DNA sequence: AGCAAACGTTGGTCACACCAACAATTGGTA
DNA sequence: TACCAATTGTTGGTGTGACCAACGTTTGCT
């Protein structure tokens, strides 16, 4: 048997690379989020949460605007809204001024669910960042913001 | 039309959260990796690369050990190795001492492909981290390492 | 009036991650 | 030695997030 000692978890060439570290950090983060959604989210997932958040913050909106505003693909907006509607967390009606469009509105139950999810998700931020000091947390966040701001600049260019 | 101004890309409650920032950072990182693999990788993806890296570093190994060593599920190890084998980047033979097992070996062509991919992936580290100074890069990496090391501790606990 | 664009819906794919079931082989124990 | 549980590799499946194509209907512009 050629492998006569247990290998390290990750080949050395892979494990120190930033792209790998980012992916493992994301895996941990999304794993905790998925667990949180599963425990408290009544089958809701990230897409649902983002759409509820958008509706609460921006007010009634068309599906196309929701898609553009959240970055979620149109077909996924449709699918997630159908699920939210069946849970009575949103309502959809045809826009009388533009009959091609639906106007989507969050319901009071939707607002309530959003606040619950906020709490869950806030707790998960704590969990994800637990190993870091408060200063390190601010640092980590600032670095990611910088990474992403540069991308925003280049995509607007 | 209720939304009479273009909303920001992301609802405010979402956009400053570490889990969101991590996911966008990952999306950017994996997008660049996917583009790199597509341009230079002959249809190979992350799983393939990780398996080639493991074989090059650890030497011939059983599939089960490869799966344990890289964290890739058994069925995905099988699928990826089948693809690598069909490209003649690895060879598989039955272990004569343990006829339930295959021994997987990287081929010279596999080593060559791995080195090419190394170059591509190294370039992508540069791209991903481009907005940060060198000191910030070291910082970012150290923070992620700390986050992940704590997880390693808790999963060994 | 005609045509292109927009909208929402339906259907599809991909990558990564994970799980279930099965047949064959091996190792350990009674 | 026989039996049974564990291991191995294969085949098949699901979920999430992300993305794309095609279609019929409605709207806006020339």
């Amino acid at each position: 048997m050629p492998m006569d000692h247990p290998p390290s978890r990750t080949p050395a060439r892979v494990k120190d690379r930033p792209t790998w570290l980012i992916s493992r950090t994301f895996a941990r983060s999304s794993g905790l989020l998925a667990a949180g959604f599963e425990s408290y989210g009544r089958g809701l997932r990230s897409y649902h949460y983002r759409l509820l958040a958008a509706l609460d913050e921006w007010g009634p909106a068309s599906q196309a605007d929701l898609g553009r505003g959240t970055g979620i693909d149109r077909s996924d907006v449709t699918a997630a809204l159908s699920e939210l509607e069946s849970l009575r967390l949103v309502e959809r009606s045809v826009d009388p001024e533009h009959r091609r469009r639906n106007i989507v509105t969050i319901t009071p139950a939707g607002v309530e669910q959003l606040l619950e999810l906020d709490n869950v998700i806030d707790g998960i931020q704590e969990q994800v960042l637990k190993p870091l000091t408060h200063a390190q947390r601010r640092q980590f966040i600032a670095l990611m913001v910088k990474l992403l701001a540069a991308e925003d600049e280049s995509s607007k260019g």
Side-chain angles (χ1 to χ4, degrees), chain A:
Chain A
M1 181 60 227
M3 279 171 79
D4 58 359
H5 60 282
S8 64
R9 182 71 178 182
T10 306
R13 78 189 344 121
V14 172
K15 70 180 298 223
D16 296 323
R17 281 202 165 104
T19 48
W20 175 257
L21 294 171
I22 288 167
S23 79
R24 293 308 93 199
T25 302
F26 173 70
R28 171 161 155 74
S29 172
S30 60
L32 289 170
L33 277 171
F37 274 114
E38 184 170 337
S39 298
Y40 302 103
R42 296 167 62 195
L44 302 182
R45 291 167 285 101
S46 170
Y47 279 170
H48 302 109
Y49 175 69
R50 283 156 65 189
L51 289 169
L52 288 175
L55 287 166
D56 186 57
E57 183 164 326
W58 303 332
S62 72
Q63 288 178 216
D65 276 339
L66 280 174
R68 278 188 291 268
T70 57
I72 298 170
D73 180 82
R74 288 179 301 161
S75 65
D76 299 314
V77 168
T78 299
L81 286 178
S82 294
E83 286 157 8
L84 290 171
E85 191 178 36
S86 73
L87 291 170
R88 303 195 200 287
L89 303 179
V90 301
E91 285 169 344
R92 286 192 281 189
S93 53
V94 175
D95 183 350
E97 296 179 5
H98 212 313
R99 309 225 359 278
R100 208 174 13 179
R101 285 189 188 144
N102 292 334
I103 297 299
V104 190
T105 306
I106 192 170
T107 63
V111 174
E112 202 172 308
Q113 180 69 76
L114 178 63
L115 294 178
E116 280 182 40
L117 288 176
D118 274 340
N119 280 337
V120 173
I121 290 166
D122 282 340
I124 288 161
Q125 311 308 311
E126 273 301 309
Q127 270 181 281
V128 167
L129 296 183
K130 191 173 181 184
L132 303 185
T133 65
H134 283 277
Q136 286 172 328
R137 292 177 191 187
R138 283 194 297 272
Q139 228 176 4
F140 186 50
I141 288 164
L143 290 172
M144 285 191 286
V145 169
K146 189 171 184 188
L147 276 179
L148 297 170
E151 183 193 46
D152 283 347
E153 284 303 314
S154 66
S155 68
K156 280 174 187 163

